[in-house]
Amino acid sequence: MSKFTIKDFKGVIPASLSIFDINENLDIEATKEFTKFLLGFDIHGLYLTGSTGEGFLMKSEERMETVKAVMEVAGDKIPVVVHVGNIGTKRTIELAKQAKEAGATAISSVPPFYWHFNSKQIFNYYKDIAEAVNIPMIIYNVPLAGMMSAEMIKELSQIENIKGVKYTNTDIYQIPLIKEAVGDDFMVYGGADELASSNLLVGVDGIVGSFYNLIPDLFLKIDGSIKNNEVAKAYALQKNAVRIISYLVDGGNMVAGIKAVLREAGINAGYARKPFINFYGEDQKNLARGLVDLANKYDMKNIHVIDKLREKY
């Protein structure tokens, strides 16, 4: 059982990478080491086996092996939420039970996708999971899986054990409306990295994102600036974050790009699974050099991974 509650799951939360070796095999020792790397920045929580964690490219057994490895390192230090989403309700419930047994603070899931399920089917999917496993659940609004309306989120919030929503979209005006509709006890998390400062300003309980694996210190500074009412400072830091995000997203291979830059900085983040296309050799070096050039152009300072790359270039 987790020593944390869902109310402890707030602040800056990496949607953690899953670590595979060059042959696409799960690397448990590297998973533990990467978790220690993230903990070194005093992050506030972890979100496992989601989109960034390549959860849909993993067997159920591999997802749980990853969870157990992370929990061994981080479970008594910070709250950990496990994404258990799958198209099928039965398999999702199986993963949810295993996540609870591993000591997760909560579970999370995207809506069922691919078959364009209607609102009743999606509602039942979440209801069935929440009733089958007595652990807090965070539902997930994300365009890749289909967006739920604010009204549906309100309906789902009435189900016991559904305690929050991860909201990954650019129409963040919906966030205060959701908060107003469901009440302050229902947790809302901003999931768009490029809007972290804006999400914090409109009142999310935490921010969960991919680039917090690469530049967690920058997002922690953004969070701290907002808490200190230093909005102009937060905005300036956010601009640098957006520049870094845009640079790596423009390649169309975000997860592989993040992992490549971390590897080049001497941090074993492993490789992405196919059909993602990894960076090797000169391509990896050029990607890292380009990031250093970008950071130098905009005088970005005191960002750990970029400073490690500067030592090389």
Side-chain angles (χ1 to χ4, degrees):
M1 180 180 293
S2 175
K3 63 181 282 189
F4 302 99
T5 71
I6 191 68
K7 287 291 186 179
D8 297 315
F9 192 66
K10 56 187 178 182
V12 178
I13 303 157
S16 186
L17 300 168
S18 295
I19 313 301
F20 310 105
D21 65 22
I22 198 167
N23 296 312
E24 300 190 42
N25 297 312
L26 188 62
D27 191 330
I28 292 298
E29 288 309 309
T31 298
K32 293 177 183 178
E33 288 303 312
F34 188 71
T35 303
K36 291 175 185 175
F37 165 75
L38 291 176
L39 288 175
F41 292 93
D42 292 328
I43 55 169
H44 303 130
L46 284 170
Y47 186 95
L48 307 183
T49 59
S51 305
T52 307
E54 300 174 71
F56 294 115
L57 303 181
M58 301 167 72
K59 298 176 184 177
S60 295
E61 295 79 9
E62 291 175 318
R63 290 168 75 164
M64 281 305 110
E65 284 182 55
T66 295
V67 171
K68 289 175 183 176
V70 172
M71 291 300 297
E72 186 177 319
V73 175
D76 63 344
K77 297 178 178 67
I78 55 174
V80 176
V81 169
V82 178
H83 177 265
V84 296
N86 203 290
I87 298 175
T89 304
K90 184 176 186 294
R91 184 170 293 182
T92 300
I93 289 172
E94 290 170 355
L95 287 166
K97 288 179 177 178
Q98 291 170 9
K100 180 185 177 182
E101 186 178 337
T105 300
I107 56 171
S108 181
S109 177
V110 295
F113 53 92
Y114 183 77
W115 273 291
H116 300 287
F117 294 101
N118 61 36
S119 58
K120 182 64 175 175
Q121 291 166 319
I122 293 170
F123 182 90
N124 286 341
Y125 170 82
Y126 281 122
K127 183 174 184 288
D128 289 343
I129 298 161
E131 291 179 348
V133 190
N134 186 22
I135 186 173
M137 185 173 193
I138 299 167
I139 60 179
Y140 194 170
N141 235 13
V142 59
L144 286 172
M147 297 294 289
M148 296 177 286
S149 68
E151 184 58 34
M152 185 169 182
I153 292 171
K154 183 179 179 180
E155 289 179 21
L156 286 166
S157 74
Q158 305 305 308
I159 298 172
E160 190 174 1
N161 289 335
I162 294 183
K163 301 296 185 182
V165 60
K166 183 171 182 275
Y167 192 90
T168 304
N169 206 24
T170 56
D171 59 345
I172 60 172
Y173 71 88
Q174 292 276 358
I175 290 173
L177 297 179
I178 292 169
K179 269 289 191 185
E180 186 174 290
V182 298
D184 288 337
D185 287 339
F186 190 78
M187 307 292 280
V188 178
Y189 303 95
D193 299 12
E194 64 274 24
L195 293 173
S197 59
S198 299
N199 276 316
L200 290 165
L201 281 168
V202 298
V204 297
D205 297 287
I207 49 176
V208 182
S210 308
F211 280 85
Y212 310 171
N213 292 281
L214 180 67
I215 46 175
D217 39 358
L218 182 53
F219 285 99
L220 285 162
K221 289 172 188 172
I222 290 170
D223 181 56
S225 297
I226 295 294
K227 287 175 179 173
N228 292 330
N229 293 316
E230 298 173 310
V231 177
K233 181 180 178 181
Y235 179 65
L237 293 167
Q238 183 71 59
K239 283 175 69 176
N240 281 338
V242 169
R243 288 165 177 141
I244 294 168
I245 293 166
S246 298
Y247 172 72
L248 288 173
V249 169
D250 282 348
N253 214 15
M254 180 191 72
V255 174
I258 290 173
K259 289 186 171 186
V261 170
L262 285 165
R263 289 196 308 272
E264 192 65 15
I267 300 147
N268 184 8
Y271 296 80
R273 278 187 166 172
K274 294 177 180 178
F276 289 122
I277 299 173
N278 284 294
F279 296 82
Y280 304 98
E282 284 304 309
D283 287 339
Q284 178 173 305
K285 287 179 169 48
N286 289 336
L287 186 71
R289 287 191 189 102
L291 183 57
V292 171
D293 290 343
L294 178 74
N296 290 341
K297 178 180 178 180
Y298 293 103
D299 196 28
M300 300 182 198
K301 297 178 180 177
N302 300 317
I303 302 173
H304 177 79
V305 169
I306 292 175
D307 289 344
K308 294 285 285 185
L309 293 173
R310 282 194 178 108
E311 294 172 8
K312 298 180 70 171
Y313 304 115

